[in-house]
Amino acid sequence: MWYLCVFYHRLLDYRKPEFESLADLFGAFGDKRSSDFNTQDKVLQWRLPKHHHPDSPFHFVHLPSEDVARNIANRSILVKGIYELWGEGNDFEELEEAVKSYPDERKLPYLEYESTFKITVDSFGKVLSLQEQNERIQGLSYIPFKGRVNLKNPDHNFWLMETDENETNNGLPPVVKRRIFFGREIGGADRKRIPMYQLKTRNYLGPTAMDAEMAFLMANQAQAAPGKLVYDPFVGTGSILVSAAHFGAMTMGADIDIRVVRDGRGPDCNVWSNFKQYGLPMPIGLLRADNNLPPWRPGLKEVFDGIICDPPYGVRAGGRKSGGRKLLKGIVGPYTIPDDKRADHIPSTAAYTLVECVHDLLDLAARMLVMGGRLVFFYPVLREDGSVETHFPEHPCFKLVATSEQMLSSRYSRVLLTMVKTSLYTEELALAARIKHLEFRENHLKWLENGNLHSSVFSPADAESGDSKVSKESKLKYRGKYV
């Protein structure tokens, strides 16, 4: 059945990937246990309302049942609501005709005497006064509501939504024309969790702590759920694992900095206290581990249902690996830690380039994820002359199912990559992955070879490019993808 999906007008590139990940989680594509991960085409059917732009918050989506629609809407971060559409039109006369022609067998069960209801008037691109809202509600007198009005806890919620005229600044390009929708609410997002988990109220924070809204989006992309084990190999202060635990997943993390995972800033200000603050289940373990030298025993495979992380790619923080610069170059030999120093010893580390980090992350995920498990991580993108670098890391064990870009400056953005494991890990595939890794390194040689992304992002524009300041005329005149 077709439903009207209304998104919040923000993070536009993330809306459909999150929605489709949740649709897969809640069974929109059938029984996942019998899925053929190589051949099954897990794509929802989408279509736009008449005259609407792709960035519009209004979309039609085809879902197998109302239960699936409700589950998606109630868990999503970016879905404002999903509705059974009773009618739409360019004006109220056209809307009335459409609602009257909607089948009675679909409408009448929600208009009975015993039921209670509420009508909400909403608009996109403009603000309606209370008087205008009341006038629009009174204009719905042709709908035979028989129940009682209940504004606090109604049995059924109905929504009258409209977009602004295209001549005004309605937040979208001027091709969008006015459209009015009326429908019954199936479900809607609970945005209250965002302020509850916002970073400014968090007990323990680091310089790279993931924003709460983005952490929830990543957990949804990874399909975190009860009974699943989610791992973050760059756990830091645990922001990503907090969001996964909120959705009921068991969590586990690792970090190369033992001061983060063991000590924090004291007994009441550490990774563990962040979970305690929200009443969430504690991680089953936090390891001091190096992603370049994984601690897992040989032969251990398929442990995690999801791996979610924000790798250190050298903009806000650089990656580190074990060994130390002199040790790795052979200037000094391996050392033995005296027994009396082991309790507080902090191992030496050296720079860990992004190209190494990405390869190690994909190899870890290929080994340790179950079939159908998801790897969700951020990847940096440099923009040259207005174009977007599209060479993303690949691995023969994975299928890339979603890319969501977030622009951070005129030269730099990051892309959230979502990969699904489709093949069992073998030595042959590991060799093929190494070949792909070498090709990937070659494609990104100019800024990945030394891992010096920071200087690439923040260096001045080339003299040949002229004035580095963006003119007012070149700026977007509507709230586009990177809101």
Side-chain angles (χ1 to χ4, degrees), residues 39-278:
T39 61
Q40 187 173 4
D41 188 19
K42 297 183 177 182
V43 178
L44 290 176
Q45 298 180 58
W46 295 90
R47 61 181 176 87
L48 284 169
K50 190 176 181 181
H51 304 305
H52 272 230
H53 187 273
D55 287 351
S56 168
F58 298 93
H59 285 72
F60 290 111
V61 61
H62 191 274
L63 296 171
S65 70
E66 191 171 302
D67 287 337
V68 171
R70 182 179 298 106
N71 288 334
I72 295 172
N74 291 346
R75 168 153 167 172
S76 172
I77 299 299
L78 296 178
V79 172
K80 188 174 185 178
I82 297 180
Y83 309 90
E84 178 193 8
L85 189 66
W86 286 14
E88 60 174 315
N90 291 331
D91 51 45
F92 288 101
E93 290 75 17
E94 190 175 331
L95 174 68
E96 179 177 348
E97 183 179 347
V99 172
K100 286 181 177 179
S101 62
Y102 193 69
D104 286 341
E105 61 269 19
R106 299 288 306 175
K107 294 187 297 186
L108 295 180
Y110 306 101
L111 305 176
E112 298 295 337
Y113 285 105
E114 297 80 11
S115 64
T116 59
F117 71 95
K118 174 185 176 182
I119 299 176
T120 302
V121 178
D122 196 13
S123 60
F124 176 75
K126 64 179 179 180
V127 176
L128 297 176
S129 66
L130 184 59
Q131 179 180 351
E132 290 174 315
Q133 294 180 39
N134 289 332
E135 290 173 353
R136 282 159 171 74
I137 292 176
Q138 292 170 7
L140 298 174
S141 58
Y142 54 86
I143 302 177
F145 290 105
K146 300 176 182 177
R148 294 177 294 104
V149 173
N150 185 332
L151 300 181
K152 291 187 177 181
N153 188 28
D155 297 325
H156 310 297
N157 279 300
F158 296 92
W159 285 70
L160 178 67
M161 297 165 284
E162 61 180 279
T163 59
D164 198 5
E165 298 287 356
N166 63 335
E167 289 84 2
T168 59
N169 181 19
N170 64 0
L172 289 172
V175 294
V176 177
K177 296 183 179 181
R178 186 188 190 195
R179 199 72 176 166
I180 308 171
F181 306 92
F182 180 82
R184 178 179 62 89
E185 181 186 282
I186 305 298
D190 179 13
R191 294 283 294 185
K192 295 178 181 178
R193 75 186 76 158
I194 303 300
M196 185 176 87
Y197 284 95
Q198 60 187 337
L199 294 183
K200 68 180 182 181
T201 63
R202 192 77 54 87
N203 284 339
Y204 180 45
L205 283 178
T208 59
M210 183 61 66
D211 170 73
E213 181 181 39
M214 193 61 69
F216 281 120
L217 283 173
M218 296 175 76
N220 279 339
Q221 292 279 77
Q223 300 179 342
K228 292 189 175 184
L229 177 59
V230 172
Y231 177 65
D232 183 354
F234 310 100
V235 67
T237 57
S239 294
I240 293 175
L241 293 189
V242 165
S243 65
H246 172 84
F247 292 126
M250 297 177 289
T251 59
M252 184 175 179
D255 202 283
I256 195 171
D257 190 344
I258 193 171
R259 294 165 294 185
V260 172
V261 297
R262 185 188 64 184
D263 303 323
R265 295 192 178 93
D268 298 318
C269 188
N270 50 46
V271 179
W272 305 96
S273 65
N274 283 345
F275 288 81
K276 184 178 179 181
Q277 176 182 353
Y278 302 114

Side-chain angles (χ1 to χ4, degrees), residues 5-55:
C5 176
V6 182
F7 291 104
Y8 286 101
H9 195 57
R10 54 179 291 100
L11 298 171
L12 308 192
D13 221 24
Y14 292 74
R15 301 183 306 187
K16 287 185 179 179
E18 184 207 22
F19 192 103
E20 292 177 352
S21 295
L22 293 178
D24 183 37
L25 174 64
F26 292 119
F29 304 106
D31 188 356
K32 293 185 66 175
R33 293 172 296 180
S34 60
S35 297
D36 184 342
F37 297 105
N38 288 310
T39 61
Q40 187 173 4
D41 188 19
K42 297 183 177 182
V43 178
L44 290 176
Q45 298 180 58
W46 295 90
R47 61 181 176 87
L48 284 169
K50 190 176 181 181
H51 304 305
H52 272 230
H53 187 273
D55 287 351

